[in-house]
């Protein structure tokens, strides 16, 4: 009899693929994503974590620990400034999970919670970077030129991947 | 009050905040001062860099496919346009060679060794780009092992795009000139005006709304015109002289009306970088 691959394996492998895809998409589509003056940032890593919080068993998957680990790698490899996303990732996962449990499980509530999650992620990232002088300290420019386009892009990503990921978690329960 | 402080969650949050700020401060300080990150971070980055190639290589392959198809469609028009330029180019090249030889001979005669203009190139491919709107960084696939050091200038296509910010064993991070961080590298550049007077200065900031490099604090009275070429001046540090930066797009007064501010249109497209070369001064 064939043994089924546990969902935790899917989760971890998908996590790293999403992590590297973030960088690759940014690199390949940089002409489109960073068209002046707007910037869109793909947050596939965060999306994979949030979707796992929606559909998976966060205790069994050790979700918060993985969020912190991926956040640490993100800091180290992509930005080079430690201590930013290592705390923001688990926090956003925690917020999204708590909110999603309060709402009826449907696409619309997932959409709403994800919207909030990305907003919190981007805003906290901006605040942390503005503190140490890495981000331009103009909040209005951030809201209009970064946050809004980023939300638009990531909500499209969510709409595409919500149902396939849900099916994945349902079949591997 | 007693209950407020005994709350476990609050303590965790505060401890996390303190650690976070500590780490952030330390890593910014390391980035500014030391030539390489701590060994553990370097080691981690190398491993992640290797794993990244598994995803990045096929993705880059897909892009190459698209780009090749697009190029194929544009070939005819491009060919027409380029043909007219080829004759001119050959002439310039021959002249360039002759001048270079002459220059070398004269240098030898005068006993002048290497000047600011000499540099060699290390070619590297871009693996990935930081998914962030303000940290304009790309990660390239050469590091310490290939002889790359911190603060070396990076060229892509026609001109300068940035400097090396962090060096690991097998990959390094390049901060593009479009990075607006306060501590990002400032280049020494010069503009040769129409009356062949040279204006020296440094890049002071970047205007992300219009994609312009800003050169500030210019007190020189030399006349500049739109379209003047800007290149690195080779003064102060590891950057060689004569790397093309861009052309003058706009000349304005600074906020106090005392000095001039020059807006420069970068020569290289900062959002389409696949292959770069790192310039190493002789």
């Amino acid at each position: 009899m064939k043994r089924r691959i546990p969902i935790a394996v899917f989760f971890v492998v998908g996590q790293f693929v999403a992590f590297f895809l973030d960088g690759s998409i940014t690199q390949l589509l940089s002409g489109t994503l960073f068209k002046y003056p707007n910037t869109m940032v793909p947050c596939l890593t965060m999306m994979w974590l949030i979707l796992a919080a929606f559909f998976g068993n966060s205790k069994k998957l050790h979700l918060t620990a993985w969020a912190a680990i991926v956040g640490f790698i993100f800091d180290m490899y992509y930005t080079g400034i430690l201590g930013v996303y290592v705390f923001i990732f688990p926090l956003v996962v925690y917020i999204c999970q708590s909110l999603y449990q309060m709402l009826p499980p449907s696409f619309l509530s997932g959409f709403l919670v994800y919207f909030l999650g990305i907003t919190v992620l981007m805003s906290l990232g901006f605040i942390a970077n503005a503190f140490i002088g890495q981000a331009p300290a103009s909040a209005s420019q951030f809201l209009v030129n970064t946050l809004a386009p980023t939300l638009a892009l990531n909500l499209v990503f969510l709409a595409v991947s919500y149902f396939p990921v849900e099916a994945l978690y349902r079949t591997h329960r | 009050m007693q209950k407020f402080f005994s709350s476990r969650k609050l303590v965790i949050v505060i401890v996390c905040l303190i650690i976070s700020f500590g780490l952030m401060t330390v890593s910014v300080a390391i980035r500014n001062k030391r030539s390489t990150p701590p060994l553990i971070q370097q080691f981690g980055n190398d491993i992640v860099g290797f794993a990244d190639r598994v995803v990045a290589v096929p993705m880059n392959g897909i892009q190459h496919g698209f780009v090749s198809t697009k190029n194929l469609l544009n070939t005819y028009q491009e060919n027409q346009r380029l043909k007219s330029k080829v004759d001119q180019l050959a002439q310039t090249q021959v002249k360039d060679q002759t001048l270079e030889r002459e220059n070398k001979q004269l240098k030898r005669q005068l006993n002048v060794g290497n000047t600011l203009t000499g540099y060699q190139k290390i070619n590297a491919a871009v693996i990935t780009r930081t998914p962030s709107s303000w940290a304009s960084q790309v990660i390239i696939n050469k590091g310490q092992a290939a002889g790359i050091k911190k603060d070396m200038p990076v060229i892509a296509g026609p001109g300068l795009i940035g400097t090396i910010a962090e060096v690991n064993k097998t990959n390094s991070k390049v901060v593009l000139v479009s990075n607006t961080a306060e501590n990002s590298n400032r280049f020494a550049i010069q503009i040769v005006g129409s009356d062949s007077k040279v204006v020296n200065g440094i890049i002071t900031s970047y205007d992300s709304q219009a994609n312009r490099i800003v050169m500030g604090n210019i007190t020189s009275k030399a006349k500049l015109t739109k379209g003047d070429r800007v290149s690195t001046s080779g003064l102060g540090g590891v950057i060689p002289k004569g790397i093309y930066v861009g052309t003058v797009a706009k000349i304005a007064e600074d906020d106090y009306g005392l000095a001039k501010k020059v807006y420069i249109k970068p020569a290289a497209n900062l959002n389409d970088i696949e292959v770069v070369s790192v310039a190493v001064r002789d």
Side-chain angles (χ1 to χ4, degrees):
Chain A
M1 207 180 107
K2 219 173 97 183
R3 269 193 69 203
R4 294 179 80 191
I5 305 165
I7 188 67
V9 175
F10 275 109
F11 167 67
V12 173
V13 172
Q15 184 63 79
F16 280 99
V17 171
F19 175 79
F20 292 131
L21 273 182
D22 258 354
S24 279
I25 289 175
T26 316
Q27 160 66 13
L28 297 187
L29 304 179
S30 51
T32 327
L33 297 180
F34 293 90
K35 205 162 209 158
Y36 304 98
N38 293 331
T39 50
M40 301 185 206
V41 184
C43 307
L44 293 180
T45 320
M46 200 62 239
M47 186 181 76
W48 188 257
L49 284 169
I50 292 177
L51 286 177
F54 285 175
F55 308 126
N57 183 338
S58 68
K59 282 255 165 55
K60 266 189 199 158
L61 292 174
H62 305 291
L63 197 58
T64 320
W66 274 112
I69 291 170
V70 170
F72 182 73
I73 300 174
F74 195 96
D75 281 345
M76 192 172 72
Y77 185 63
Y78 281 140
T79 60
I81 291 154
L82 302 178
V84 180
Y85 290 105
V86 66
F87 297 111
I88 295 177
F89 276 17
L91 179 71
V92 173
V93 168
Y94 176 76
I95 292 172
C96 285
Q97 199 176 14
S98 322
L99 281 175
Y100 192 71
Q101 278 163 1
M102 283 180 219
L103 297 167
S106 71
F107 174 72
L108 210 64
S109 48
F111 199 76
L112 201 70
V113 172
Y114 185 73
F115 184 94
L116 282 173
I118 295 294
T119 311
V120 171
L121 171 78
M122 294 301 292
S123 310
L124 287 181
F126 174 74
I127 291 168
N129 279 292
F131 264 129
I132 50 173
Q134 296 291 313
S138 148
S140 59
Q141 206 176 318
F142 163 74
L143 286 176
V144 176
N145 292 337
T146 304
L147 185 62
T150 300
L151 276 171
L153 177 77
N154 283 290
L155 288 173
V156 171
F157 281 144
L158 180 82
V160 171
S161 50
Y162 185 90
F163 291 108
V165 176
E166 191 194 16
L168 176 79
Y169 279 95
R170 195 163 5 92
T171 48
H172 287 82
R173 202 176 286 280
Chain B
M1 209 62 190
Q2 189 73 31
K3 205 178 166 207
F4 183 73
F5 278 110
S6 65
S7 162
R8 205 168 135 247
K9 269 185 189 155
L10 186 77
V11 174
I12 292 175
V13 166
I14 288 175
V15 168
C16 281
L17 268 178
I18 292 170
I19 297 173
S20 169
F21 274 98
L23 277 173
M24 263 151 57
T25 322
V26 168
S27 45
V28 168
I30 284 176
R31 213 182 161 86
N32 289 347
K33 284 181 192 127
R34 293 220 343 225
S35 57
T36 49
L39 206 65
I40 301 171
Q41 201 181 335
Q42 241 185 80
F43 183 66
N45 278 341
D46 283 329
I47 291 177
V48 179
F50 273 120
D52 195 355
R53 275 162 226 193
V54 178
V55 174
V57 169
M59 289 294 280
N60 288 338
I62 293 170
Q63 196 211 12
H64 281 305
F66 278 118
V67 171
S68 320
T69 326
K70 204 176 86 190
N71 283 349
L72 200 67
L73 295 174
N74 293 335
T75 308
Y76 179 72
Q77 285 157 8
E78 208 172 54
N79 195 14
Q80 293 280 313
R81 197 152 39 84
L82 290 177
K83 255 184 193 160
S84 60
K85 284 195 179 173
V86 164
D87 303 330
Q88 215 181 331
L89 185 71
Q91 209 180 7
T92 321
Q93 222 166 27
V94 170
K95 198 174 159 195
D96 191 53
Q97 264 172 12
T98 329
L99 285 175
E100 200 178 331
R101 207 175 310 128
E102 191 184 273
N103 192 353
K104 230 181 232 168
Q105 276 171 359
L106 290 173
K107 268 185 192 170
R108 207 179 305 134
Q109 235 169 26
L110 284 170
N111 262 331
V112 180
N114 288 322
T115 46
L116 293 174
T117 43
Y119 64 88
Q120 246 129 45
K121 283 178 180 173
I122 302 173
N123 293 322
V126 175
I127 311 176
T128 184
R129 185 181 169 125
T130 303
S132 158
S133 84
W134 41 83
S136 308
Q137 282 184 134
V138 294
I139 297 166
I140 59 172
N141 68 352
K142 292 274 170 70
Q144 230 172 30
I148 288 175
K149 291 200 185 75
K150 197 180 153 81
D151 287 339
M152 282 178 174
V154 182
I155 307 161
L160 182 86
I161 55 160
T163 46
I164 302 280
E166 187 190 305
V167 189
N168 303 305
K169 283 272 180 301
T170 55
N171 58 48
S172 26
K173 290 193 181 78
V174 178
V175 169
L176 305 181
V177 281
S178 56
N179 188 309
T180 45
E182 283 158 15
N183 56 354
S184 67
N185 213 296
R186 302 290 179 234
F187 297 97
I189 52 176
Q190 63 181 22
I191 309 171
V192 181
S194 46
D195 45 357
S196 68
K197 269 189 188 155
V198 177
V199 178
N200 276 301
I202 53 167
I203 294 174
T204 48
S205 64
Y206 174 81
D207 181 356
S208 63
Q209 298 279 310
N211 181 25
R212 294 285 182 271
I213 301 170
V214 183
M215 174 183 177
N217 303 327
I218 305 163
T219 48
S220 163
K221 291 280 184 292
K223 197 167 173 284
L224 298 171
T225 43
K226 211 172 140 181
D228 282 348
R229 281 162 194 255
V230 184
S231 60
T232 56
S233 65
L235 302 173
V238 288
I239 298 168
K241 190 179 177 176
I243 296 177
Y244 187 39
V245 177
T247 50
V248 173
K250 198 173 92 182
I251 301 145
E253 302 262 290
D254 78 348
D255 299 345
Y256 306 104
L258 295 173
K260 266 186 282 190
K261 219 169 158 184
V262 177
Y263 288 80
I264 298 160
K265 182 172 186 274
N269 182 359
L270 297 171
N271 287 334
D272 184 17
I273 307 161
E274 271 186 67
V275 181
V276 298
S277 13
V278 182
V280 185
R281 202 145 117 176
D282 289 335

